[in-house]
Amino acid sequence: MEPETEAAYADSVQQSWPSLVRAAVFLGARPHEAEDLAQTTLVRCYTGWTKVSSAENRDAYVYRMLLNCLRDVRRTRWWKDRQYDAGLDAAHTAEPDATDRVALADAVHRALGGLTKPNREVVVLRYFVQLTERQTAEVLGIAAGTVKSRLSRALAHLAADDHLLDFTGGSR
């Protein structure tokens, strides 16, 4: 890779790393797995930088790559045989005075876990990654209207979720 091109790639990595990791966490990966997914995505970006840099919407292209990496990992036998712990890794490393933040993060993760995979992907890309409806549709390869309907169903489900009701002061 030429020095100019490599510098552009390095800038892209520096800007996108935190949001890729965050998106992977909200898509259901644990923090260390999210970092692995983001790294795999960025390696794929490096090997295909010509396509990535010439994409009409680079962010959408990269998030699509992240989703593909996540789907590839989840197809493996290792993922299917994986045992889940009762708590989040973050709960074990949080400072004692951050219990409210940990409880909220746990509630959000549990609520997102209650969504179907397509609805969770739409919510994460639209609200946590902050892509537009059009960009979200491009990433997922679906129509913008489908993004809107999935968001509507997902938000209705989240609004009634028991894990989040404790934080909103609502009741069923």
Side-chain angles (χ1 to χ4, degrees):
M1 194 179 277
E2 296 178 19
E4 287 178 7
T5 309
E6 194 154 338
Y9 169 77
D11 289 341
S12 176
V13 167
Q14 192 171 27
Q15 291 174 5
S16 64
W17 175 260
S19 63
L20 285 172
V21 172
R22 187 173 43 250
V25 167
F26 283 115
L27 288 168
R30 292 182 179 170
H32 66 280
E33 294 166 342
E35 289 178 358
D36 288 345
L37 286 167
Q39 185 174 6
T40 301
T41 301
L42 293 171
V43 167
R44 290 183 182 180
C45 285
Y46 184 82
T47 59
W49 186 246
T50 305
K51 285 184 179 180
V52 173
S53 62
S54 64
E56 184 177 320
N57 186 342
R58 185 184 301 174
D59 289 338
Y61 194 92
V62 172
Y63 284 109
R64 178 65 176 194
M65 292 174 80
L66 176 71
L67 280 171
N68 288 339
C69 287
L70 179 65
R71 290 172 181 159
D72 289 348
V73 165
R74 291 198 173 163
R75 282 187 204 117
T76 64
R77 182 175 174 82
W78 170 85
W79 183 270
K80 292 175 186 169
D81 291 343
R82 178 179 142 186
Q83 296 295 317
Y84 291 92
D85 295 337
L88 292 174
D89 291 339
H92 301 294
T93 60
E95 298 174 10
D97 61 319
T99 55
D100 290 339
R101 287 195 319 258
V102 171
L104 179 59
D106 181 53
V108 170
H109 282 275
R110 290 176 188 272
L112 287 173
L115 295 174
T116 63
K117 188 177 89 166
N119 288 353
R120 183 174 53 243
E121 289 173 351
V122 168
V123 169
V124 169
L125 292 174
R126 181 71 180 96
Y127 293 112
F128 291 99
V129 177
Q130 298 182 348
L131 297 180
T132 65
E133 287 174 354
R134 190 180 125 264
Q135 290 171 325
T136 302
E138 287 178 23
V139 168
L140 297 173
I142 58 177
T146 304
V147 169
K148 291 178 186 180
S149 64
R150 286 183 184 174
L151 277 174
S152 175
R153 283 191 296 272
L155 293 177
H157 185 273
L158 290 173
D161 190 278
D162 289 335
H163 297 103
L164 297 177
L165 287 176
D166 294 338
F167 293 96
T168 62
S171 62
R172 268 203 152 157

